[in-house]
Amino acid sequence: MSNPSLLILAGDGIGPEVMAEVKKIIAWYGDKRALRFEISDDLVGGCAYDAHGTPLTDETMAKAQAADAVLLGAVGGPKYDNLDFSVKPERGLLRLRKEMDLYANLRPAQCFDALADFSSLKKDVVAGLDIMIVRELTSGVYFGEPRGIFTEGNERVGINTQRYTESEIARVARSAFELARKRGNKVCSMEKANVMESGILWREVVQKVHDEEYHDVQLSHMYADAGAMQLTRWPKQFDVIVTDNLFGDLLSDLAAMLTGSLGMLPSASLGAPMANGRPKALYEPVHGSAPDIAGQGKANPIACILSFAMALRYSFDQGAEADRLEKAVEKVLADGLRTADLMGPEGGSPVSTSAMGDAVIAALDASL
Ligand code: IPM
Ligand code: MG
């Protein structure tokens, strides 16, 4: 059988730097674990716009559809701020999500012991934190119609539409319940059923899927604003949180910051199974392109490295190898290695992006 294919879209800003470290790790798996991938590189975001006048070409889109998994770095930067909305770097990412139908976005927020002091919250509130946000990623207000800026009378009006079908809600709910069964067996669903009809339907459908298919899993419902409050008050009450596209965008940034650094957090965006049984999948760090530090070797590659670990687990059925990589990351952190984003107010001497990648490789070697 041929090796599984990986399409790498490093993107803009720090994307290429952090992806270079992931490539070293992919090579390590080929050499040391005989786990080989067919790799191809392509452009997304601002760099694609520079080369082709579009943030994602049809050719790249087709490659993404055909790949066993896509790894993405980051998109965007100030250089592209004034571009027309339709060709902004983010549109490339949104097109990938939509056309690959990656409806379940898994965003773990895990607090590494070595970093519990970095959280803006008290250590006992975050130490040992391990929650999974499942964000619906292909619908809701991000994509609903009508949308646009229109003229009504003598003024303009900006319109976006929150829209969810029952089947869109049901499929992401199933993803959340399936994950919960492999973790703490608890799901909290968040919406605003107190003010939004789409929230009323969301709550009803999640409850129905639960009652009919997953009654062994503990289910609770919370208004999303109260959820934000509870996430900062006592985040350890949660196991899996399932929510819509926009609330998930906000709540996952909030949850990320509980753990101390956005530079640490990976994500997986999964769709329906392909003919080979693997889900359509795109893996990317939660952080952005950080143009202010791009090209300086300062970026933390860990979020991108952990995104590859998620690919090993969710696309390639290599849970044990994913564990190995996650443990290697834990080890370098426990050993005190820190990139600049992980420096406390007292300072210290940060290591470079590539030194962090090398340290993870050394820890992988030591794991054999
Ligand atoms: C995210 C980002 C994206 C989003 C942007 C870059 C389009 O904030 O992945 O959370 O809003 O979904
Ligand atoms: Mg976001």
Side-chain angles (χ1 to χ4, degrees):
M1 239 175 64
S2 60
N3 297 327
S5 60
L6 272 180
L7 174 64
I8 296 193
L9 304 173
D12 306 320
I14 59 170
E17 292 162 65
V18 295
M19 198 59 86
E21 302 314 307
V22 175
K23 286 186 175 170
K24 290 185 197 165
I25 284 163
I26 296 172
W28 185 90
Y29 274 98
D31 291 349
K32 304 288 172 70
R33 306 299 302 155
L35 214 63
R36 300 196 172 82
F37 298 93
E38 257 4 283
I39 301 221
S40 66
D41 285 276
D42 214 323
L43 304 175
V44 69
C47 58
Y49 176 81
D50 289 337
H52 305 295
T54 167
L56 188 77
T57 64
D58 293 345
E59 290 72 38
T60 311
M61 186 66 237
K63 276 200 213 167
Q65 294 283 19
D68 286 310
V70 179
L71 296 184
L72 190 137
V75 296
K79 185 177 160 195
Y80 309 105
D81 280 351
N82 296 323
L83 285 184
D84 186 73
F85 184 75
S86 63
V87 289
K88 277 196 187 298
E90 292 77 10
R91 302 310 306 171
L93 178 56
L94 293 168
R95 180 175 177 200
L96 282 164
R97 290 174 178 173
K98 185 70 179 172
E99 290 190 23
M100 292 171 77
D101 202 17
L102 305 171
Y103 59 86
N105 181 215
L106 280 43
R107 298 192 162 184
Q110 222 180 330
C111 185
F112 289 85
D113 284 343
L115 298 178
D117 284 323
F118 281 92
S119 174
S120 47
L121 299 189
K122 294 195 193 81
K123 193 167 178 171
D124 68 313
V125 177
V126 295
L129 179 70
D130 179 7
I131 59 186
M132 176 71 87
I133 297 193
V134 180
R135 165 188 178 194
E136 198 292 325
L137 201 60
T138 52
S139 185
V141 76
Y142 271 59
F143 297 99
E145 298 283 347
R147 66 181 300 165
I149 300 176
F150 305 97
T151 301
E152 267 180 21
N154 53 7
E155 66 171 353
R156 291 181 307 155
V157 48
I159 297 180
N160 291 90
T161 302
Q162 167 85 337
R163 180 180 192 277
Y164 272 107
T165 64
E166 291 180 295
S167 52
E168 285 170 340
I169 301 167
R171 64 182 185 171
V172 74
R174 283 191 190 97
S175 303
F177 289 126
E178 291 290 339
L179 277 164
R181 278 184 176 159
K182 296 186 194 137
R183 303 170 36 100
N185 214 39
K186 267 196 325 195
V187 171
C188 181
S189 168
M190 296 187 186
E191 28 53 25
K192 275 185 67 76
N194 50 344
V195 287
M196 296 164 75
E197 284 79 0
S198 60
I200 295 175
L201 188 69
W202 182 281
R203 188 176 285 223
E204 261 179 48
V205 172
V206 172
Q207 187 68 50
K208 181 161 180 273
V209 170
H210 169 267
D211 296 349
E212 292 178 359
E213 301 167 45
Y214 297 95
H215 44 83
D216 54 302
V217 181
Q218 218 187 93
L219 171 66
S220 59
H221 303 273
M222 216 178 258
Y223 297 139
D225 54 345
M229 183 184 74
Q230 291 299 336
L231 269 170
T232 46
R233 192 185 69 83
W234 190 246
K236 284 187 247 180
Q237 69 186 279
F238 298 110
D239 175 29
V240 174
I241 292 173
V242 64
T243 189
D244 75 14
N245 204 341
L246 182 60
F247 293 144
D249 183 41
L250 306 179
L251 293 172
S252 63
D253 266 26
L254 192 161
M257 225 33 229
L258 298 176
T259 71
S261 169
L262 209 52
M264 301 289 301
L265 294 177
S267 78
S269 303
L270 306 177
M274 301 184 276
N276 61 16
R278 295 188 177 110
K280 278 256 163 90
L282 180 146
Y283 299 88
E284 59 175 320
V286 170
H287 63 68
S289 62
D292 52 320
I293 58 161
Q296 300 170 36
K298 286 185 183 167
N300 185 350
I302 290 179
C304 204
I305 290 171
L306 292 176
S307 298
F308 177 62
M310 290 187 92
L312 289 173
R313 177 170 292 118
Y314 294 111
S315 281
F316 303 115
D317 235 351
Q318 295 285 343
E321 295 301 337
D323 287 346
R324 180 196 299 282
L325 182 50
E326 287 163 0
K327 291 223 169 63
V329 166
E330 246 170 78
K331 164 118 188 359
V332 301
L333 293 172
D335 289 348
L337 237 71
R338 302 282 184 267
T339 41
D341 56 308
L342 301 177
M343 287 287 130
E346 66 285 358
S349 40
V351 302
S352 68
T353 309
S354 66
M356 184 59 102
D358 292 342
V360 173
I361 298 229
L364 283 172
D365 277 331
S367 77
L368 294 176

